[in-house]
């Protein structure tokens, strides 16, 4: 196969591509194994719960007696190794989904402690960490504190135990993905250790995991290793690139019931919520998710190997164990970062003609540049990248619906950098 039948990539760069691919072989075999395992897990959940043509027909109005919705939520619970789940297109984003879960469980004067340092940007406003924002948990009198990560970016188990023993919080909160930080993502093994530590010193604490970007990256999910509640976005991993919007919460039955009261209204809960015409897309997306996540992880591993061989610092390293689909590449210069995003955008199936430029995004201190040419607006299970224009000029990239096209996007990013003199060959 020669990519130059379709795109212009320098022959010297193609030599790096060949070597990167060669070095990824073992890792790719491992990723295929995990994808197959998770695919069969999802398939058996479909079979066990009797998914059929009629489950796709949507409801309108209040959405009473929507069998398709009820079965989808049972399928999702099984996929997450949980007792129960909510899965709705009406969650507007991952942040909204996490918010419903947090407000479903926490009450005034309760304490929530984040075990993994400062949480993802959009969640800080939900807790009301920096200021008591209108409608935040802090505004309702829920107390927040966090245990900072160690210098190497891993959770500080000793400190966690010390603080939880003392405070006995209502909730211990864990973020699985690195988000836009350079700390490593949490593997399931680490999540299990954290859950054990919490149970040891504060057994009644509810353990909630922000599962965004982590679903189907490993063979197990957080509820299978001790977490009580997880939540995530359907325009990331579990939507398989097909769900047009939405989110899910999975976990212990009594906790899901509480979340349902917040999702709609007290006393009404999960019994309502018209699915309109979206059930089929949510089923199809979930069914495709293990494979698509495998493609995205392959893309991340390949990009890590390619850019490492080109002399850039990468995290995770190509062979490192991963807990999410995110790859960080340190490009070292503003020109390099912008060229990277422009090259990647030029290989997108949608909006390939758009030339990304840095812009002052509301809420960010430095201009941000991003590449996103997706079928679903903002879907980061599709190949996308972004980064702030400040030292060390790192790009965070993720997604890829299929490895072949995503690999072309990564190569085009490198090619553009080469053309702009940001890569010397
Ligand atoms: C994406 C993400 C969220 C939610 O973000 P939305 O953009 O609101 O969907 C929360 N936490 C983490 C770690 C994420 O990656």
């Amino acid at each position: 196969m020669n990519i130059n039948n379709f795109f212009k990539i320098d022959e010297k760069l193609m030599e790096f591509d060949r070597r990167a691919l060669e070095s990824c072989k073992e890792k790719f075999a491992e990723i295929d194994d995990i994808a197959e395992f998770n695919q069969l897990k999802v398939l058996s959940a479909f079979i066990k719960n009797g998914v059929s043509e009629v489950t796709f027909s949507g409801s309108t109005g209040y959405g009473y007696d929507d069998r398709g919705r009820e079965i989808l939520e049972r399928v999702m619970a099984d996929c997450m190794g949980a007792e129960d789940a909510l899965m709705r297109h009406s969650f507007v984003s991952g942040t909204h989904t996490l918010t419903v879960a947090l407000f479903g469980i926490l009450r005034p004067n309760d304490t929530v402690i984040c075990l993994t340092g400062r949480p993802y940007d959009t969640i800080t406003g939900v807790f009301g960490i920096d200021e008591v924002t209108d409608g935040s948990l802090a505004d309702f009198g829920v107390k927040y504190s966090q245990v900072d990560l160690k210098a190497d970016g891993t959770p500080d188990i000793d400190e966690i135990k010390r603080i939880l023993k003392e405070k006995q919080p209502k909730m211990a909160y864990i973020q699985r993905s690195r988000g836009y930080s350079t700390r490593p993502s949490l593997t399931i093994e680490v999540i299990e250790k954290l859950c054990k530590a919490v149970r040891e010193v504060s057994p009644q604490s509810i353990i909630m995991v922000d599962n965004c970007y982590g679903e189907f990256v490993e063979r197990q999910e957080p509820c299978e290793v001790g977490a009580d509640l997880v939540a995530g976005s359907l325009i990331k991993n579990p939507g398989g690139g097909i769900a047009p919007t939405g989110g899910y919460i999975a976990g212990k039955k009594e906790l899901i019931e509480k979340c349902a009261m917040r999702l709609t209204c007290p006393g009404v809960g999960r019994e309502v919520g018209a699915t309109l015409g979206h059930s089929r897309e949510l089923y199809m997306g979930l069914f495709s998710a293990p494979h698509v996540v495998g493609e995205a992880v392959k893309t991340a591993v390949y990009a890590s190997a390619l850019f490492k061989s080109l002399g850039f610092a990468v995290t995770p390293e190509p062979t490192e164990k991963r807990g999410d689909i995110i790859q960080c590449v340190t490009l070292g210069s503003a020109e390099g970062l912008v060229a990277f995003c422009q090259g990647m955008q030029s290989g997108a199936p949608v909006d390939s003609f758009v030339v990304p430029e840095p812009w002052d995004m509301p809420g960010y201190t430095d201009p941000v540049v991003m590449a996103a040419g997706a079928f679903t607006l903002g879907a980061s299970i599709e190949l996308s990248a972004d980064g702030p224009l400040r030292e060390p000029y790192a790009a965070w990239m993720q997604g890829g619906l299929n490895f072949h096209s995503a690999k072309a996007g990564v190569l085009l990013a490198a090619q553009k950098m080469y053309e702009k003199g940001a890569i010397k060959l």
Side-chain angles (χ1 to χ4, degrees):
M1 214 306 289
N2 189 347
I3 190 171
N4 283 313
N5 288 339
F6 305 98
F7 298 98
K8 210 185 131 336
I9 306 289
D10 191 275
E11 199 37 55
K12 277 178 283 183
L13 206 45
M14 288 311 295
E15 192 47 45
F16 282 88
D17 162 70
R18 278 185 282 276
R19 267 184 273 148
L21 270 183
E22 190 57 37
S23 73
C24 290
K25 271 193 176 150
E26 221 174 286
K27 207 70 196 166
F28 279 20
E30 200 181 295
I31 295 165
D32 280 334
D33 256 13
I34 295 172
E36 184 175 6
F37 180 92
N38 284 325
Q39 189 63 64
L40 299 186
K41 185 198 254 183
V42 170
L43 175 62
S44 38
F46 273 60
I47 294 168
K48 177 184 149 197
N49 292 289
V51 176
S52 74
E53 175 80 36
V54 294
T55 47
F56 302 150
S57 58
S59 55
T60 57
Y62 295 124
Y64 288 131
D65 298 321
D66 188 322
R67 286 279 295 151
R69 187 189 65 222
E70 290 165 13
I71 290 176
L72 179 68
E73 292 183 332
R74 260 185 262 147
V75 171
M76 188 56 171
D78 289 341
C79 292
M80 290 296 117
E83 289 174 14
D84 203 355
L86 300 167
M87 181 161 168
R88 308 273 168 138
H89 77 270
S90 52
F91 285 117
V92 305
S93 66
T95 305
H96 178 214
T97 313
L98 288 156
T99 300
V100 168
L102 288 165
F103 276 88
I105 306 300
L106 296 165
R107 299 289 179 270
N109 293 317
D110 280 348
T111 297
V112 50
I113 298 182
C114 182
L115 310 186
T116 45
R118 189 178 166 85
Y120 191 76
D121 272 13
T122 59
I123 309 301
T124 60
V126 177
F127 285 121
I129 295 176
D130 299 322
E131 49 175 331
V132 182
T133 35
D134 233 359
S136 63
L137 285 161
D139 199 17
F140 282 84
V142 174
K143 299 189 244 356
Y144 171 86
S145 64
Q146 69 189 40
V147 182
D148 286 331
L149 297 166
K150 293 191 290 189
D152 65 357
T154 60
D156 190 342
I157 304 243
D158 292 336
E159 185 66 4
I160 287 168
K161 279 196 193 167
R162 193 182 69 73
I163 293 190
L164 263 70
K165 190 169 186 175
E166 178 196 320
K167 295 208 172 164
Q168 301 289 312
K170 175 73 163 284
M171 178 185 283
Y173 184 88
I174 295 169
Q175 181 180 310
R176 183 173 178 183
S177 169
R178 62 172 52 218
Y180 298 105
S181 78
T182 49
R183 68 122 158 134
S185 54
L186 265 52
T187 59
I188 285 293
E189 196 185 335
V190 173
I191 292 174
E192 181 166 26
K193 275 194 193 131
L194 284 173
C195 292
K196 284 205 174 115
V198 174
R199 291 283 177 257
E200 204 183 304
V201 295
S202 180
Q204 80 299 335
S205 292
I206 293 161
I207 303 172
M208 172 170 166
V209 178
D210 171 354
N211 209 23
C212 282
Y213 283 136
E215 299 92 350
F216 303 127
V217 170
E218 294 191 64
R219 284 183 178 77
Q220 286 176 298
E221 296 296 331
C223 291
E224 295 172 82
V225 295
D228 298 308
L229 199 64
V230 293
S233 163
L234 296 187
I235 62 168
K236 293 180 180 173
N237 305 14
I242 296 173
T245 183
Y248 76 93
I249 306 172
K252 294 253 165 70
K253 200 167 201 62
E254 80 261 17
L255 299 177
I256 293 297
E257 281 304 323
K258 283 176 180 288
C259 296
M261 294 309 163
R262 178 71 196 200
L263 167 72
T264 68
C265 343
V268 177
R270 68 190 307 169
E271 307 303 323
V272 296
T275 49
L276 309 174
H278 294 299
S279 292
R280 186 170 166 277
E281 292 163 310
L282 267 51
Y283 277 106
M284 270 189 84
L286 180 59
F287 182 68
S288 288
H291 176 71
V292 171
V293 169
E295 299 292 282
V297 178
K298 279 182 187 170
T299 305
V301 169
Y302 166 76
S304 180
L306 180 71
F307 277 87
K308 185 181 172 155
S309 72
L310 290 167
F312 296 95
V314 292
T315 165
E317 292 283 324
T319 54
E320 212 173 311
K321 193 166 163 61
R322 286 164 192 263
D324 66 16
I325 63 170
I326 296 180
Q327 179 64 44
C328 179
V329 185
T330 300
L331 299 165
S333 72
E335 301 72 43
L337 173 57
V338 173
F340 178 96
C341 289
Q342 290 182 346
M344 183 172 279
Q345 182 82 32
S346 74
V350 181
D351 292 335
S352 60
F353 48 84
V354 169
V355 181
E357 294 289 348
W359 62 299
D360 289 303
M361 227 166 100
Y364 289 79
T365 40
D366 298 283
V368 174
V369 62
M370 50 178 69
F375 293 93
T376 298
L377 191 68
S380 41
I381 187 61
E382 302 186 51
L383 184 65
S384 49
D386 49 67
L389 267 82
R390 65 163 176 257
E391 291 283 355
Y393 299 102
W396 277 264
M397 56 158 282
Q398 63 274 312
L401 293 182
N402 64 69
F403 177 64
H404 302 302
S405 72
K407 173 174 172 276
V410 173
L411 268 173
L412 284 161
Q415 171 68 20
K416 189 75 176 178
M417 288 180 69
Y418 175 61
E419 287 168 13
K420 297 278 177 168
I423 291 177
K424 307 264 189 291
L425 297 175

